[in-house]
């Protein structure tokens, strides 16, 4: 007798798109082919879930900086191969990284980045970074959207920032092309003034760092870009929302009908500004900064309410060599932190295990919301027949202390060192292939594929 499926996951509580129940999930080739009553599907290979096992859609990290050019000729300490293997082990099956800013043609830069990503073990796509606007640059945008690189990142601060007029023009062009403009939203002038005040007072010690980047800088920048979004009828995305000020600006824009989606990052959910008085405070120089307990509570509320659609890592594999020269002066510290592999286990622990998110909400903010926002749905982001078989099986009872897995890749320090929890991925499938099991990468190197984005605000999370 012939088997109907290549693989069946049996006995797990399945967080499917419309139901959460114990089911068999049948995989044929790269796709989910059947959801059926437990014990009813026959396959070449059957994987029994552990007691209490939960099957969720593979995680989508909407914000990573793999092998990132952090200075002239200096890269982060990972590459697409090592970073995506660690992602697979920890429950992520798709990463949305960036095409770094370029002075040359954008499409050529995108092609170079795609080539670099060819060693990925899981699927990937990119947000091109837009800087230094020129008429030629505006003309390049439609070509990128057509190529499936449809979500962009624009800075409102740093040397790469655009001015208000450029921001408005680029938002109009992106919207006309059917793409999505996304912002690192912190008002540059407010940041500069706050930094000057901190340096004149307490000086450059890291304790002063959060005061140099107040939440009002975020709300002011979000106010501006959502104003343009309303005026132009353009959708807009906000990267790394850190707390209450930014949320208030997003909520009021939404109430007035603006199509705005936003992410927060795992560090804003599990850390608070107490980290800046620790001896290892340098690890937490991240922009925007980690904020207070009240901000953290508001972020969890916003995830449950659907105001925030995703939880990203903002991963960048800095090492001690990049960070330690700045420990006495926050203005010398390059901002950012590693976290690609910590994102999902931390979200499970602080969300599901500690009762802040139910399983539906966990799937929503780790996979479904990101897929809908960035034009990867319905292929990715949900357990439904016909979707890519990107699946992660969890053992909610498995206890851990961070770091869980042998490092051997990326950064040589760890922001979450010593934190603990319960619940770990025990199996990860990427398009039907087993890529990780029990903390070990098992897949083929370089089997990941570029996933083109087709932005569709009709399917955006509410
Ligand atoms: Zn980032």
């Amino acid at each position: 007798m012939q088997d109907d499926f290549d693989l069946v996951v049996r006995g797990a509580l399945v967080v499917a798109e419309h139901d959460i129940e114990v089911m068999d999930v049948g995989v044929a080739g790269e796709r989910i082919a059947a959801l059926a009553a437990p014990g009813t599907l026959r396959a070449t290979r059957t994987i029994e879930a552990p007691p209490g096992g939960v099957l969720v859609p593979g995680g989508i990290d909407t914000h990573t900086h793999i092998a990132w050019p952090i200075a002239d000729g200096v890269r982060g300490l990972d590459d697409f191969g090592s970073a995506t293997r660690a992602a697979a082990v920890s429950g992520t099956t798709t990463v949305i990284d960036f095409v770094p800013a370029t002075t040359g043609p954008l499409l050529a830069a995108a092609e170079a980045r795609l080539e670099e990503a060819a060693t990925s073990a899981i699927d990937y796509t990119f947000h091109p970074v837009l800087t230094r606007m020129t008429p030629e640059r505006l003309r390049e945008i439609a070509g990128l959207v057509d190529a499936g690189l449809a979500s962009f990142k624009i800075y409102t601060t740093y040397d790469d920032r655009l001015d208000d007029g450029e921001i408005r023009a680029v938002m109009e062009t992106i919207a006309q092309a059917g793409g999505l403009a996304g912002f690192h939203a912190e008002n540059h002038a407010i940041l500069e003034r706050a930094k000057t005040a901190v340096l004149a007072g307490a000086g450059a010690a890291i304790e002063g760092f959060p005061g140099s980047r107040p939440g009002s800088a975020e709300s002011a920048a979000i106010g501006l870009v959502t104003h343009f979004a309303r005026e132009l009828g353009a959708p807009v995305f906000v990267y790394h929302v850190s707390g209450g000020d930014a949320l208030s600006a997003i909520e009021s824009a939404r109430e007035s009908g603006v199509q705005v989606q936003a992410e927060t990052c795992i560090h804003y959910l599990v850390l608070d500004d107490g980290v800046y008085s620790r001896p290892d405070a340098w690890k937490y120089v991240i922009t925007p900064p980690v904020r207070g307990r009240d901000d953290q509570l508001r972020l969890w509320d916003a995830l449950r309410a659907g105001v925030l659609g995703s939880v990203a890592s903002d991963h960048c594999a800095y090492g001690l060599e990049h960070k330690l020269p700045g420990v006495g002066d926050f203005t010398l510290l390059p901002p950012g932190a590693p976290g690609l592999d910590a994102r999902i286990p931390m979200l499970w622990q602080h969300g599901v295990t500690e009762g802040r998110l139910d399983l539906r909400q966990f799937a929503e903010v780790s996979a479904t919301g990101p897929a809908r926002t960035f034009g990867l749905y319905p292929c990715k982001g949900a357990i439904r027949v016909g979707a890519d078989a990107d699946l992660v099986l969890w053992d909610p009872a498995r206890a851990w202390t961070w770091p869980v897995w042998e490092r051997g890749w990326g950064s040589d320090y760890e922001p979450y060192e010593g934190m603990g929890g319960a619940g770990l991925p025990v199996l990860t499938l990427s398009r039907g292939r087993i890529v990780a099991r029990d903390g070990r990468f098992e897949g083929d190197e370089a089997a990941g594929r570029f996933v083109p984005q087709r932005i569709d605000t009709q399917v955006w999370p509410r």
Side-chain angles (χ1 to χ4, degrees):
M1 221 177 347
Q2 219 189 339
D3 295 321
D4 303 312
F5 303 99
D6 298 313
L7 190 148
V8 163
V9 180
R10 175 160 296 164
L13 181 66
V14 179
V15 185
E17 185 163 34
H18 300 294
D19 306 288
I20 301 182
E21 53 185 295
V22 177
M23 287 187 276
D24 279 3
V25 176
V27 174
E30 299 190 339
R31 302 277 168 81
I32 297 168
L35 302 173
T40 58
L41 299 183
R42 283 173 317 146
T44 314
R45 188 165 189 187
T46 299
I47 289 168
E48 297 284 347
V54 179
L55 191 73
V56 298
I60 299 175
D61 194 337
T62 53
H63 188 155
T64 67
H65 300 270
I66 295 169
W68 194 245
I70 52 190
D72 262 348
V74 182
R75 292 279 194 137
L77 299 180
D78 57 359
D79 55 42
F80 277 90
S82 60
T84 56
R85 288 194 294 272
V89 165
S90 61
T92 291
T93 56
T94 304
V95 291
I96 314 184
D97 204 277
F98 295 87
V99 178
T102 177
T103 48
L106 289 173
L107 210 48
E111 276 160 13
R113 191 69 169 157
L114 284 166
E115 217 164 283
E116 232 182 296
T119 56
S120 293
I122 56 171
D123 292 350
Y124 51 89
T125 190
F126 295 98
H127 314 286
V129 176
L130 294 176
T131 59
R132 286 173 263 283
M133 289 321 298
T134 58
E136 299 79 66
R137 185 118 301 185
L138 285 174
R139 279 194 291 275
E140 289 179 292
I141 286 171
L144 285 167
V145 173
D146 288 344
L149 296 156
S151 59
F152 296 85
K153 188 173 194 191
I154 297 145
Y155 290 93
T156 60
T157 183
Y158 299 124
D159 292 344
D160 278 343
R161 69 187 178 279
L162 300 190
D163 70 29
D164 299 356
E166 291 171 326
I167 287 171
R168 189 184 177 285
V170 82
M171 284 181 77
E172 186 169 31
T173 303
I174 290 171
Q176 280 166 355
L180 175 61
F183 289 89
H184 175 126
E186 287 182 293
N187 177 289
H188 185 70
I190 294 174
L191 294 181
E192 284 299 298
R193 220 178 157 80
K195 185 171 80 179
T196 303
V198 167
L199 291 176
I206 293 172
E207 234 166 325
F209 168 70
S212 76
R213 301 187 89 95
S216 63
E218 275 185 87
S219 52
I222 294 168
L224 181 82
V225 299
T226 54
H227 166 81
F228 289 146
R230 182 186 305 107
E231 186 200 345
L232 298 166
V236 64
F237 184 79
V238 182
Y239 292 98
H240 49 47
V241 167
S242 71
D245 288 312
L247 279 173
S248 296
I250 288 167
E251 282 160 355
S252 67
R254 279 193 156 200
E255 277 157 26
S256 74
V258 175
Q259 289 189 300
V260 51
Q261 292 290 331
E263 70 178 15
T264 186
C265 301
I266 193 64
H267 38 266
Y268 303 124
L269 294 170
V270 307
L271 303 171
D272 64 55
D273 55 7
V275 296
Y276 296 114
S277 13
R278 287 168 35 170
D280 60 352
W282 57 269
K283 288 181 183 173
Y284 309 98
V285 172
I286 297 167
T287 57
V290 173
R291 304 206 187 270
R293 289 286 297 165
D294 289 348
D295 290 278
Q296 195 188 84
L297 294 174
R298 282 202 56 190
L299 293 173
W300 284 107
D301 283 341
L303 285 171
R304 284 187 292 268
V307 175
L308 292 170
S310 58
V311 177
S313 67
D314 200 355
H315 164 88
C316 188
Y318 286 107
L320 297 171
E321 64 195 272
H322 312 118
K323 290 284 193 178
L324 290 185
V327 286
D329 180 343
F330 71 79
T331 64
L332 299 177
L333 269 164
L340 179 53
D341 53 343
R343 179 185 75 110
I344 292 269
M346 292 287 164
L347 184 64
W348 183 280
Q349 168 60 24
H350 293 261
V352 178
T353 305
E354 294 183 12
R356 293 182 183 89
L357 300 178
D358 61 28
L359 287 172
R360 167 66 57 217
Q361 290 162 334
F362 172 83
E364 183 64 34
V365 300
S366 64
T368 318
R372 288 177 179 271
T373 299
F374 289 107
L376 310 178
Y377 180 88
C379 260
K380 298 207 177 286
I383 299 182
R384 65 206 297 276
V385 170
D388 287 356
D390 292 351
L391 301 167
V392 179
L393 180 60
W394 285 78
D395 180 352
R398 196 75 66 97
W400 52 268
T401 302
W402 197 263
V404 178
W405 300 288
E406 238 171 85
R407 267 228 159 267
W409 75 283
S411 185
D412 49 7
Y413 71 90
E414 179 51 68
Y416 303 99
E417 181 116 47
M419 291 177 77
L424 282 180
V426 292
L427 176 82
T428 306
L429 299 182
S430 167
R431 276 185 286 104
R433 292 166 295 116
I434 294 175
V435 288
R437 199 151 26 160
D438 289 324
R440 263 177 231 288
F441 177 72
E442 272 197 7
D444 303 323
E445 314 271 322
R449 204 184 280 163
F450 169 64
V451 194
Q453 305 170 37
R454 303 284 171 228
I455 306 293
D456 179 4
T457 58
Q458 299 291 319
V459 303
W460 270 18
R462 79 206 135 83

